[in-house]
Amino acid sequence: MASTPKAPAKKYDRQLRIWGAHGQQALETARACVLGSGCTATEALKNLVLGGIAGFTVVDNVIVQPSDLGANFLLESASLGKSRAAAVTELLAELNEGVASSYIEEAPSNVIDSNPALFSEFQLVLATQMREQDLIRLDEVCRKYNVPLLIARSYGLVGYLRASLPEHTVIESKPDNALEDLRLHNPWPQLQELADSIDLDAIDDVTHRHIPYALILLKGAQKWCSEHSSKLPQNAKEKAAFKQMLKSWQRSAEGFPADEENFDEALSNAHKLFSPPSIPSEVRSVLEDDATSVGPHSTDFWILAAALKRFIDGEGQGSLPLEGSIPDMTSTTDMYLQLQRTYWRKAEADAAAVEGHVQALLTSIGRDVQSIPHSTILHFMKNARNLRVVRYCTLEEEVAPERAKRGVIRQALAAEDQSVNASLYILLRAVDRFQATCGRFPGALTGELEEDTAVLKARMASVAADCGASAAQVPDDYVEEMVRCGAAELHVMGAIMGGIAAQEIIKFVTHQFVPVPGVLIYNAMASTSSVFVP
Amino acid sequence: MTVSSRWPSVATSSQLKEKMQRAKVLCVGAGGIGCELLKTLVLSGFEDIEVIDMDTIETSNLNRQFLFRKHHVGQSKAQVAAEAVRVFRPNAQISVYQGNVKESRFDKAFFQRFAIVLNGLDNVEARRHVNRLCLSAGTPLIESGTEGYLGQVTVHYRLKNGAGEIQDATECFECAPKQSRTKTYPVCTIRNTPEKPIHCIVWAKELLFARLFGRPDVATDLDEAAAGEEGAEANGDTGDHISASAFVRGPDETADTYAKRIFCRVFEEDINRVLSMEDLWETREKPKPLHLADTLGDGQPALQNGSVGGEHGAAAGESACKALGISGAHRVWSLAECAKVFLESIKQYLEGRPTEVGEAVFDKEDDLAVEFVTAAANLRAANYGIPQQSLFITKGMAGNIIHAIATTNAIVGGLIVVEAMKILAGKPECSKATFILKHVTNPKAKRLLNAISPGEPNPNCAACGTARLELLIDTAKTSLEDLLSKVVKKKLSLVEPTLRTDEGFEYEEGEGLDDDEVAGNKAKLPIMLDQQSGGGLKHGTVLHVEDQVQEFKVQIEFSHKEDWDEEQDPEFFKLGGSVPQATSKSADEAGPSSAAGPSTAPADEDDDDDIVIMDGPSAADGVGTDDDVMIVDEVKPPTMLAAADIAPDANGSAGKRGADADLEGPRKRRKAS
């Protein structure tokens, strides 16, 4: 077909605008293993398949029941009695040709023991509707094979989501407000020279109106510092005086200040001089991380972080490398280009310095100096301000009383706006303990609601005790609600949790944006959500 | 209140299930959100659904609108979506309207048929329209929008008690002032003094594309460039330069000659003419004209014999790039490539799509249109020393493309259904406005979904103004004088009322009127309401009543009633809704706690300030004065926070506040030329 090469670009146009061609490329080479085939699993998969994931494998051993038809849009009455994994895989594949699909008819909890190596073939494992005790083993296996694990669960009107992997590094965290680093407070010699080369009193009116505001601020800073023992304006009064000084530099026509847009911009951008962007705390913690002591097993991210650290301690004199781009300013084209070149050159020099550190580090750990490409280094440097690391404790650690007692849940229970969702966290763990002893979830059989409620409360008390909290803080009606819903996987919850799960998977696969750093509880009863970091 | 009647407890009850089965709901829009919503509705047990959508399916929908397949491209969204849903829920009743929700057939009576209206729209105008109809019909509305990873769902309703008084109300879609995302540019900047890539793109799309390929009767501003304003002295002998006929293809002119002539005209001659307006360049850098042969480079008169379609196997009229063998949507083309694409795309239009010329409308999904705009914008950028853009970027800017993925739509679809369930369960007080965040931003309040209680109605809202009243009266037997004395002055306590309708009826009292006006107003007094000018005040008419001294404003909706029982209604009229106190500056007493029923204002569970503000394009891109702006189509904002500007609609029903609020936006006045 003649139009084939263009068709995918067109189809993915709207999402390419979010994560770019390289993000799409990452997605199109990622394969996901999905445990479970209920609506939470299929909703997540639907979103991933539409987005163009390379392939997926569904693992489940259940047979399609009439109740499935109501909750899963993929299933039709013709699927009744068939393997659910097979049925949903077939229909999911229809959503996007070119996505490789397969299924394994086996219980997810069995696969963990019978074929753990299976997980090593994937870039991500999504576990849906699984119990704590199975997830702990799965977590162990996934960490062994170094595959990120995402857990999603829809239980009545409660949703649960949590990732588990040792660490996830992000270069493109895409913060909402990108800060401009113009170095006006601390110009390098070439930038200062450019500012010095302009004599505001000697130039004609047109040129005066077109001095970029960055240079006006630099000249202002120099003048001010020379009169204030080398200190920039410190307080509101001095800042006002500084601005007044800039205003006095404006040309006037017939006794009135001339309309000079560049000076207006200098005044409204003076904050870039007064409060230059510092190193964000998240980046600081990356730089201070133990992993920056690199060795032969260090990942590229940490080698780059270590090089960045060396740069800041050395040539950078405490600053991150210059990003190099400058915002729009009122200026002549020539002067703007000159300013832009000055920033670019500095950015290039900084990049070269970092690259030198990278190569030295690579040599020191016995790796080829070219093994981290120049483009990767540049990309890293451009995003030096946006670096993030997220780490997750293992599930086993999370539930171990010695860690749980650290009190994240206890504190949340006591906090007014988180108490209910912390209760739901405890209840979700309690229903698994209920299941472990009773062989079924509470409320799954009708007519035993009261008995089940009593048993669940007992399980809940033990979970709460593990968390160093008291179950008395868990509202009774939520306990009853947990029993009433009988572990139902409602479609509406599957849609919401499947949507969030797919979103998080895309964040992991593309290494763009920051994934949820802990346990997410979504409470559809109150329409609230909380994240707990155990 | 017992536990069993609380919202969460009834969520899984059989009563609610039954209500969901029976409730008739309207889905406005069958696009990204609409597909998810329809699926989640039927799988949650809704069985009586009607869908409105005017659009047909595009390839770029397929990454998220999962009810559609490749072979559906070109078909009706509403139709295909309904068919797909019927397959997995055969017992669901789904009625389809392929059309614009603003058509008159979707009137108040139409909206009254529904238990809830669910919006999955992509533009503010339609959102406002649906909001007003829902207000008028008294139907609860659930609004939604997504942009990339961001999304939101909000709930709007005005519940009345048996007496027709408003018992519990949320803000309506138009209550809160919203950051305007309508991008406006001073016409002068676009025509003569562009400074940014977007200015060139707007010029290429709104002026040049429209002039070359669009309807000739829809005048564009391209030619007035020199005719108006300061161009006067530059015109001199330029009578024919500036007439639209310069863009008309001569009877014997080949497509090739025409394309080249247009190039010379817009990138060389027009620039030379603009250069002659010397006062423009006192404070700016002068543009540089482009010479065609130089631009094409290497002295080759490229495409001299360039056959449309070319040797690269593309169908004529499909794509200039394909015909030329130019690839790469993400790189910036060289100037020579831009010139080639410019010429080729004009030829492709003329020879490959002759029927479209004179009718074409820019479509961001149309390769040829996007190629033309990219090439033209980049050539103009070269004139003015402005950075050039790739086709991908140009397409996004020209088409006001909003990022969209399946995941956010899926979440939003689910959240809409949760809110719909609460309303059907009779628990509207549990409603939440929910915002989906990109990532957990606020480290203290860690959450991905942020829910807040819906805001209270804004008493000054032009659309809902809690002071909207329903007047039951005999419009054939009541004179304007009676209306004024008995209803407006006595019942509502106005002193110097001004009355008007959107249809043209006007009546005014007070100081500052001249004798003629006083006489004209007086003459209207004895006339019966339904005989008044502007079609009369009759059943369904909305009358805007204002007292400027009191700063009081109210809308009265007329319902005609002939048979009155004097015993029961001695006044011969009935004013419904909560009657506001006219003595106060605003009508804020008319909040949720009217006489009937206890106050049901829900406690706010989220006292945090973690509300997402959509990052839209900067509104400071240039807001000019009223008649000196170029309004490019609204960014189709799926998100209401960022979305609705509140300028008055064409139907004028937004009142004074709308206009005021519109002026409050950030403005940065570029020097008008």
Side-chain angles (χ1 to χ4, degrees), chain B residues 290-311:
Chain B
L290 290 178
H291 186 63
L292 177 58
D294 297 345
T295 310
L296 286 169
D298 51 49
Q300 256 185 43
L303 307 170
Q304 186 79 335
N305 309 308
S307 57
V308 168
E311 57 277 27

Short mmCIF file of all heavy atoms in Angstrom, two decimals, chain B residues 290-311:
data_model
loop_
_atom_site.label_atom_id
_atom_site.label_comp_id
_atom_site.label_asym_id
_atom_site.label_seq_id
_atom_site.Cartn_x
_atom_site.Cartn_y
_atom_site.Cartn_z
N LEU B 290 11.75 37.92 -1.41
CA LEU B 290 12.37 36.70 -1.93
C LEU B 290 12.18 36.66 -3.45
O LEU B 290 11.07 36.87 -3.94
CB LEU B 290 11.68 35.46 -1.35
CG LEU B 290 11.88 35.15 0.13
CD1 LEU B 290 11.06 33.91 0.49
CD2 LEU B 290 13.35 34.91 0.44
N HIS B 291 13.26 36.40 -4.15
CA HIS B 291 13.16 36.26 -5.59
C HIS B 291 13.04 34.78 -5.91
O HIS B 291 13.81 33.96 -5.41
CB HIS B 291 14.41 36.87 -6.24
CG HIS B 291 14.31 36.91 -7.72
ND1 HIS B 291 13.35 37.64 -8.39
CD2 HIS B 291 15.05 36.30 -8.67
CE1 HIS B 291 13.51 37.46 -9.68
NE2 HIS B 291 14.51 36.65 -9.89
N LEU B 292 12.06 34.42 -6.72
CA LEU B 292 11.75 33.01 -6.93
C LEU B 292 12.96 32.21 -7.41
O LEU B 292 13.29 31.17 -6.83
CB LEU B 292 10.59 32.86 -7.92
CG LEU B 292 10.21 31.42 -8.29
CD1 LEU B 292 9.84 30.63 -7.04
CD2 LEU B 292 9.06 31.39 -9.27
N ALA B 293 13.62 32.70 -8.46
CA ALA B 293 14.72 31.92 -9.03
C ALA B 293 15.83 31.74 -7.99
O ALA B 293 16.38 30.64 -7.85
CB ALA B 293 15.27 32.62 -10.26
N ASP B 294 16.12 32.81 -7.23
CA ASP B 294 17.17 32.70 -6.21
C ASP B 294 16.76 31.71 -5.13
O ASP B 294 17.57 30.95 -4.61
CB ASP B 294 17.41 34.06 -5.54
CG ASP B 294 17.92 35.08 -6.55
OD1 ASP B 294 18.34 34.65 -7.64
OD2 ASP B 294 17.87 36.29 -6.24
N THR B 295 15.48 31.76 -4.79
CA THR B 295 15.02 30.90 -3.70
C THR B 295 15.09 29.43 -4.10
O THR B 295 15.47 28.57 -3.32
CB THR B 295 13.57 31.25 -3.32
OG1 THR B 295 13.49 32.67 -3.13
CG2 THR B 295 13.16 30.56 -2.05
N LEU B 296 14.72 29.16 -5.35
CA LEU B 296 14.77 27.77 -5.81
C LEU B 296 16.21 27.28 -5.88
O LEU B 296 16.49 26.10 -5.78
CB LEU B 296 14.11 27.63 -7.18
CG LEU B 296 12.58 27.70 -7.15
CD1 LEU B 296 12.03 27.82 -8.56
CD2 LEU B 296 12.00 26.49 -6.46
N GLY B 297 17.10 28.22 -6.05
CA GLY B 297 18.52 27.87 -5.99
C GLY B 297 19.04 27.27 -7.27
O GLY B 297 18.31 27.05 -8.24
N ASP B 298 20.29 27.01 -7.30
CA ASP B 298 21.09 26.47 -8.40
C ASP B 298 20.57 26.81 -9.81
O ASP B 298 20.68 26.03 -10.74
CB ASP B 298 21.32 24.95 -8.27
CG ASP B 298 20.03 24.16 -8.05
OD1 ASP B 298 19.08 24.38 -8.80
OD2 ASP B 298 20.00 23.36 -7.12
N GLY B 299 20.02 28.00 -9.89
CA GLY B 299 19.66 28.52 -11.20
C GLY B 299 18.66 27.70 -11.98
O GLY B 299 18.28 28.05 -13.09
N GLN B 300 18.27 26.57 -11.41
CA GLN B 300 17.36 25.69 -12.16
C GLN B 300 15.93 26.15 -12.02
O GLN B 300 15.44 26.26 -10.91
CB GLN B 300 17.43 24.30 -11.56
CG GLN B 300 18.21 23.31 -12.36
CD GLN B 300 18.10 21.97 -11.71
OE1 GLN B 300 17.02 21.57 -11.28
NE2 GLN B 300 19.20 21.27 -11.62
N PRO B 301 15.27 26.41 -13.08
CA PRO B 301 13.85 26.69 -12.95
C PRO B 301 13.13 25.37 -12.65
O PRO B 301 12.58 24.74 -13.54
CB PRO B 301 13.46 27.27 -14.30
CG PRO B 301 14.53 26.83 -15.26
CD PRO B 301 15.72 26.39 -14.48
N ALA B 302 13.21 24.96 -11.41
CA ALA B 302 12.68 23.65 -11.04
C ALA B 302 11.22 23.56 -11.40
O ALA B 302 10.51 24.56 -11.44
CB ALA B 302 12.85 23.44 -9.55
N LEU B 303 10.81 22.39 -11.68
CA LEU B 303 9.42 22.09 -11.90
C LEU B 303 8.88 22.74 -13.17
O LEU B 303 7.68 22.86 -13.32
CB LEU B 303 8.55 22.59 -10.74
CG LEU B 303 8.98 22.12 -9.37
CD1 LEU B 303 8.20 22.87 -8.33
CD2 LEU B 303 8.75 20.63 -9.26
N GLN B 304 9.78 23.16 -14.01
CA GLN B 304 9.32 23.76 -15.24
C GLN B 304 8.28 22.85 -15.88
O GLN B 304 7.21 23.26 -16.24
CB GLN B 304 10.52 23.93 -16.21
CG GLN B 304 10.19 24.69 -17.46
CD GLN B 304 10.14 26.19 -17.19
OE1 GLN B 304 9.91 26.62 -16.08
NE2 GLN B 304 10.35 27.00 -18.19
N ASN B 305 8.63 21.59 -15.92
CA ASN B 305 7.71 20.64 -16.54
C ASN B 305 7.05 19.74 -15.50
O ASN B 305 6.52 18.72 -15.81
CB ASN B 305 8.45 19.78 -17.57
CG ASN B 305 9.23 20.65 -18.52
OD1 ASN B 305 8.67 21.55 -19.10
ND2 ASN B 305 10.52 20.39 -18.64
N GLY B 306 7.23 20.13 -14.27
CA GLY B 306 6.75 19.28 -13.17
C GLY B 306 5.31 18.87 -13.39
O GLY B 306 4.41 19.68 -13.34
N SER B 307 5.11 17.62 -13.65
CA SER B 307 3.75 17.16 -13.87
C SER B 307 3.11 16.92 -12.52
O SER B 307 3.74 16.41 -11.61
CB SER B 307 3.76 15.86 -14.67
OG SER B 307 4.52 14.91 -13.99
N VAL B 308 1.90 17.29 -12.43
CA VAL B 308 1.20 17.09 -11.16
C VAL B 308 1.11 15.60 -10.88
O VAL B 308 0.79 14.82 -11.75
CB VAL B 308 -0.19 17.74 -11.20
CG1 VAL B 308 -1.03 17.29 -10.02
CG2 VAL B 308 -0.04 19.24 -11.21
N GLY B 309 1.34 15.26 -9.65
CA GLY B 309 1.38 13.84 -9.32
C GLY B 309 2.81 13.39 -9.34
O GLY B 309 3.27 12.74 -8.44
N GLY B 310 3.50 13.78 -10.36
CA GLY B 310 4.93 13.52 -10.39
C GLY B 310 5.25 12.07 -10.59
O GLY B 310 4.38 11.20 -10.75
N GLU B 311 6.56 11.84 -10.56
CA GLU B 311 7.03 10.50 -10.88
C GLU B 311 7.07 9.61 -9.65
O GLU B 311 7.50 8.48 -9.69
CB GLU B 311 8.41 10.58 -11.54
CG GLU B 311 9.47 11.28 -10.71
CD GLU B 311 9.43 12.80 -10.85
OE1 GLU B 311 8.36 13.36 -11.14
OE2 GLU B 311 10.46 13.41 -10.67
#
